[in-house]
Amino acid sequence: MKDLKTIKISGIPLPLYAFFIVILASVIALGKLPLNMVGITLLLVVLGHLLYYIGEKLPIVSSYLGGGSVFTLIGATLLSFGHVIPKNVIGAVGKFMGGQFGFLDFYIAALICGSILGMNRKLLIKASTKFIPVTLVTMVIGFFAVGGMGMLLGKGFAHSVMYVSMPMMAGGMGAGITPLSQIYASGLAHGSQAAIFSQLAPAVTFGNIMAIIGALSISKVFANTKYNGHGTLISATKEELERPKIKLDAQRIGVGMLFAFTLLMVGCLLNNFFPKVHEYAFMIIIVFIIKATNTVPKQLEESVIMFNEVVMTNLTHAVLAGIGLALIDLKTLASALTWQFVILCLTSVVAMGLASWFLGKILGMYPVETAIGAGMINNSMGGTGNIAVLSASDRMEMIAFAQMGNRLCGAIVLIMGGILIRLFYP
């Protein structure tokens, strides 16, 4: 028993964690799990920490397959696909993550605010002026690479870019292919949004999986090279890289939460007037401006950083478990997996990864970070995909840049989608 107590999962002794698992499994088996914030939070946190712990301990998985982060994502997906967790619970997880409860909004708001306000101001400005051009050029290269490969495979330029490249770069399901499918449907004479959505969804899902593998591979292969910035886009002094050391304070954590959520609400207000631009994009711009202009008082800035640390420490594995359980559909993915489709998705990931790598190197940035932040991220499933990609490559501090590039590209894809669907399918 003493030996078991020395084993800890996220700081919790194994016997106590086993008690949590037994109670959770019992209420699920009896159909008594409350499908509200309490029940779903317990499920995701307990499952997420357990899968992450196992992934970090398995020899091959921890060394070559992404460790705990990837294992959490894949393990949760398999639990859902194998109906180990009941369908009604999976449905509730989906609503909790991105529906009426908006757990992802909670998580991403904390990450965006905390990661930007926690950065050195000079370093943030220097990195952003180089990162955005790299992201935009990378997107253009990926678009034409997929179109060209589609022509070689006999799938056609138009079909390849509209149903593979564009959805992969659109920014996910909710803010990406949902409006994109509406745009396509309105531009086609006999277009059905539901039918078009089902055609776009496999590219988003499979592209996200390949982006995770790509980010993981890049971070592993170039782990001990001069190309690796270890989460920093550009070379910086020791002072610029130093994170503020802050002692956690319960009341100030609450203040940080209120400030982060209020900024997200400002983004929602602006989105009401400019619906083509996602509220996350507005939030990033606002936080960037107040950080660059040194507007936020130091005490408030530290409060937001505290809130970010608490959320990241306790909820990152839960978010990964939620993505795997509710947002990756293996059946839809399997039905679309022709060899041509796989090659087109691979072309997008490889072309954008290489383009961002060399563009980053030319502009004096760390190629590993630009390949992940501009290449892999822009083939991911929006906010959820960003978290999965960055978590797998151990670069969660880049979430603000990831969201910036992802949302910027997504907005451009929606605009171009409306133009190109009428051009290619008159």
Side-chain angles (χ1 to χ4, degrees), residues 184-201:
Y184 283 10
S186 64
L188 296 170
H190 303 287
S192 161
Q193 186 197 350
I196 293 170
F197 184 91
S198 65
Q199 289 179 276
L200 301 179

Side-chain angles (χ1 to χ4, degrees), residues 73-90:
L73 193 69
I74 294 173
T77 303
L78 293 175
L79 288 174
S80 174
F81 182 72
H83 305 293
V84 176
I85 296 175
K87 190 175 181 180
N88 66 319
V89 175
I90 299 298

Side-chain angles (χ1 to χ4, degrees), residues 41-64:
T41 301
L42 177 64
L43 168 66
L44 295 183
V45 172
V46 170
L47 182 62
H49 285 313
L50 176 64
L51 291 174
Y52 185 87
Y53 177 83
I54 294 171
E56 287 293 292
K57 295 298 179 182
L58 291 174
I60 297 175
V61 173
S62 61
S63 301
Y64 305 104

Side-chain angles (χ1 to χ4, degrees), residues 246-259 297-307:
I246 303 167
K247 186 178 179 181
L248 296 181
D249 180 282
Q251 188 175 43
R252 291 179 67 188
I253 290 169
V255 173
M257 180 184 72
L258 289 176
F259 187 66
K298 184 175 176 58
Q299 190 172 23
L300 180 56
E301 188 175 279
E302 289 179 349
S303 297
V304 177
I305 295 169
M306 286 182 203
F307 175 53

Side-chain angles (χ1 to χ4, degrees), residues 201-370:
V204 177
T205 305
F206 190 65
N208 192 76
I209 293 170
M210 297 192 79
I212 294 169
I213 296 170
L216 171 63
S217 302
I218 293 167
S219 63
K220 288 286 186 184
V221 172
F222 298 97
N224 299 309
T225 68
K226 63 181 180 180
Y227 305 115
N228 190 348
H230 303 285
T232 304
L233 281 164
I234 59 176
S235 58
T237 64
K238 186 178 179 180
E239 290 73 23
E240 287 175 330
L241 290 174
E242 191 175 355
R243 296 276 295 182
K245 295 179 181 178
I246 303 167
K247 186 178 179 181
L248 296 181
D249 180 282
Q251 188 175 43
R252 291 179 67 188
I253 290 169
V255 173
M257 180 184 72
L258 289 176
F259 187 66
F261 290 173
T262 300
L263 291 181
L264 179 57
M265 292 306 103
V266 175
C268 291
L269 285 173
L270 292 171
N271 171 258
N272 183 62
F273 297 105
F274 305 97
K276 295 287 185 184
V277 183
H278 197 276
E279 53 261 32
Y280 290 163
F282 280 122
M283 185 184 184
I284 291 166
I285 293 168
I286 294 164
V287 181
F288 182 91
I289 291 171
I290 62 177
K291 177 65 179 182
T293 56
N294 209 19
T295 304
V296 182
K298 184 175 176 58
Q299 190 172 23
L300 180 56
E301 188 175 279
E302 289 179 349
S303 297
V304 177
I305 295 169
M306 286 182 203
F307 175 53
N308 171 60
E309 288 181 2
V310 170
V311 169
M312 278 199 65
T313 302
N314 294 287
L315 298 179
T316 297
H317 306 153
V319 170
L320 292 172
I323 294 169
L325 285 176
L327 301 180
I328 297 180
D329 186 350
L330 290 182
K331 286 184 179 178
T332 304
L333 179 60
S335 65
L337 281 179
T338 64
W339 67 271
Q340 295 98 331
F341 173 80
V342 171
I343 290 176
L344 289 174
C345 291
L346 184 61
T347 298
S348 180
V349 172
V350 172
M352 292 176 72
L354 289 173
S356 53
W357 174 285
F358 288 109
L359 287 169
K361 188 177 179 182
I362 291 168
L363 292 177
M365 305 170 78
Y366 285 110
V368 169
E369 274 62 33
T370 52

